[in-house]
Amino acid sequence: MTNSSTPQLIETHFKDVGGIPVRRALPGKVRRTIGAWCFLDHIGPAEQKPGAELNVGPHPHIGLQTFTWMIEGEIRHRDSLASDLVIRPGQVNLMTAGHGIAHSEEYEQGRILHAAQLWIALPKHAHNIDPAFDHYPTLPILSHEGFQLTLLAGEYLSEKAPTKIYTPLIGMDILNTSTNAGQLPLNAAFEYGFMCLEGSTKINGVALEPGTLLYLAPGSTAVNIESDSNTRILLVGGEPFEEDLIIWWNFVARTAEEIEKATLDWNAGRHFPDVPKTPLTRLTAPDVTGMQFKASR
Ligand code: MN
C-alpha cells in the first residue's frame, strides 16, 4: 500500500513574461497551498533575448518567504536589507519577508533562463518576524534508486537541508539522466505536489509533462516514478497548512487591514526601506479601493 488516494492533476496557468514562458501552479482555483508552499512558478527554460531579459523592479513582500531554485542562468538579487548577490545554477535563495521587505531581480548572465520560484506562507506565530535573506550555495545531494535528489528544504532519508523554514515541509529536485523506474519513500503526514520541469515522467502511473502538477493527498508512504532520460521533477510537500490566508499581489496576510496597510504603505513610500543601488524601476501595487478581501484555505 503506497497510495491512499487518487492523484489530482492540476493544470498550470501560462503567462508570457517578455517572451519567457511562466507556468503558475499555485495558487490556483483547485488548490491554493501544498503544505505551506503557497505560490509556485516554473520559469522557462527559455532564451533570454538581448534587451528583453527577465528583470523585476523593486516590490514588497509581507507574511511569506520567497524561494528561488536556479537551474540555468544567473539572476542578481538585491533587497532592502542591502543584500546584493548573484544566484547561480544549483543554488537556493530564501528571503524571509516577515513584517516587510522589498527586493529586485536583475538579469545577470546566461542565454537560457530556467528556474522555479516559490513562496512559503509563514505561520501565524512567525508572520511578523524581522526580515532576513539567506543564500544557500550548496545543498545536500543524495542518490536513491537511480535518481539524483537535491534537497532544497526540509529532511529526506538521512539528509537535512540548511534552509530556514517555519513549518514541516520539503522541497526536492529529482533528476534522472537515464530511463529509469524507482520508488521514493514519502512522509504519510505530508501532502505532495510533483511538477515535471524537463522531459516526461509517470508518477504513480500518471503521465506528467511540464505545465501540469500532480497532487497527492496525505497518506502515501511511497511514490512510483518512471522517467525518460534527462527528466527533472520538482517535489514540494508539507503538512497541510491549516490557517486561512489572503494571498494578494505580493502579500500573504490574514486580514483585509494587513493587505490594505501594506499596499498603501508601499505606494506611499512608507514602512518598506528602499532597495539600494538597483537600476530598475519600482513597481506600483494595484489599487485596493473597493476590493473585498476574505481569508480562506
Ligand atoms: Mn518578489
Side-chain angles (χ1 to χ4, degrees), residues 11-26 39-46 48 54-56 113-118 195 197 210-212:
E11 290 300 319
T12 57
H13 31 287
F14 181 87
K15 297 193 307 170
D16 187 300
V17 181
I20 294 163
V22 174
R23 301 172 192 85
R24 182 159 301 163
L26 295 176
F39 181 96
L40 200 183
D41 266 1
H42 176 204
I43 302 167
Q48 302 244 64
L54 196 68
N55 283 295
V56 185
L113 177 65
H114 193 196
Q117 275 205 324
L118 302 96
M195 281 276 280
L197 302 183
T212 309

Side-chain angles (χ1 to χ4, degrees), residues 56 59-61 66 95 103 105 117 119 250:
V56 185
H59 60 280
H61 288 286
T66 65
M95 188 180 77
H103 72 141
E105 290 157 301
Q117 275 205 324
W119 296 352
N250 290 302

Side-chain angles (χ1 to χ4, degrees), residues 219-253:
S220 298
T221 55
V223 63
N224 294 308
I225 301 181
E226 296 167 63
S227 283
D228 290 341
S229 57
N230 299 314
T231 292
R232 185 188 291 276
I233 301 159
L234 177 67
L235 172 155
V236 292
E239 283 182 6
F241 197 79
E242 301 291 359
E243 295 179 51
D244 290 348
L245 296 173
I246 301 169
I247 303 170
W248 184 79
W249 198 49
N250 290 302
F251 305 136
V252 170

Side-chain angles (χ1 to χ4, degrees), residues 11-282:
E11 290 300 319
T12 57
H13 31 287
F14 181 87
K15 297 193 307 170
D16 187 300
V17 181
I20 294 163
V22 174
R23 301 172 192 85
R24 182 159 301 163
L26 295 176
K29 285 196 186 100
V30 184
R31 178 149 291 282
R32 300 174 81 216
T33 56
I34 296 174
W37 299 101
C38 63
F39 181 96
L40 200 183
D41 266 1
H42 176 204
I43 302 167
E47 192 170 345
Q48 302 244 64
K49 296 186 185 69
E53 297 93 351
L54 196 68
N55 283 295
V56 185
H59 60 280
H61 288 286
I62 60 166
L64 58 88
Q65 296 175 289
T66 65
F67 180 103
T68 304
W69 168 231
M70 208 68 199
I71 300 162
E72 199 169 355
E74 296 186 4
I75 296 281
R76 185 166 192 157
H77 164 94
R78 295 190 219 247
D79 65 39
S80 51
L81 302 172
S83 313
D84 179 354
L85 66 81
V86 175
I87 180 171
R88 302 192 162 89
Q91 303 182 338
V92 162
N93 275 359
L94 182 72
M95 188 180 77
T96 303
H99 58 69
I101 197 166
H103 72 141
S104 67
E105 290 157 301
E106 288 164 48
Y107 169 77
E108 180 73 13
Q109 63 171 327
R111 195 176 59 86
I112 302 294
L113 177 65
H114 193 196
Q117 275 205 324
L118 302 96
W119 296 352
I120 303 168
L122 287 169
K124 193 169 186 0
H125 71 84
H127 83 284
N128 223 9
I129 57 176
D130 287 341
F133 175 75
D134 295 287
H135 173 68
Y136 300 102
T138 58
L139 295 146
I141 297 177
L142 306 83
S143 192
H144 191 75
E145 298 240 333
F147 298 104
Q148 179 189 297
L149 311 175
T150 306
L151 189 55
L152 310 177
E155 298 176 21
Y156 196 74
L157 300 175
S158 57
E159 294 288 347
K160 189 175 191 309
T163 325
K164 186 155 177 49
I165 51 176
Y166 293 85
T167 51
L169 58 79
I170 185 170
M172 191 160 74
D173 182 273
I174 303 170
L175 183 66
N176 193 39
T177 52
S178 60
T179 301
N180 184 32
Q183 193 177 74
L184 297 180
L186 298 180
N187 178 346
F190 281 14
E191 55 186 350
Y192 289 95
F194 297 84
M195 281 276 280
C196 185
L197 302 183
E198 290 178 81
S200 63
T201 184
K202 279 186 183 170
I203 308 289
N204 285 348
V206 180
L208 209 59
E209 289 186 353
T212 309
L213 178 141
L214 185 132
Y215 171 79
L216 284 185
S220 298
T221 55
V223 63
N224 294 308
I225 301 181
E226 296 167 63
S227 283
D228 290 341
S229 57
N230 299 314
T231 292
R232 185 188 291 276
I233 301 159
L234 177 67
L235 172 155
V236 292
E239 283 182 6
F241 197 79
E242 301 291 359
E243 295 179 51
D244 290 348
L245 296 173
I246 301 169
I247 303 170
W248 184 79
W249 198 49
N250 290 302
F251 305 136
V252 170
R254 285 156 185 78
T255 65
E257 290 70 28
E258 280 178 276
I259 295 281
E260 287 158 8
K261 180 178 184 305
T263 302
L264 295 174
D265 279 349
W266 171 254
N267 283 349
R270 292 188 302 254
H271 180 72
F272 300 93
D274 286 338
V275 179
K277 295 181 187 163
T278 182
L280 302 176
T281 307
R282 204 174 183 280

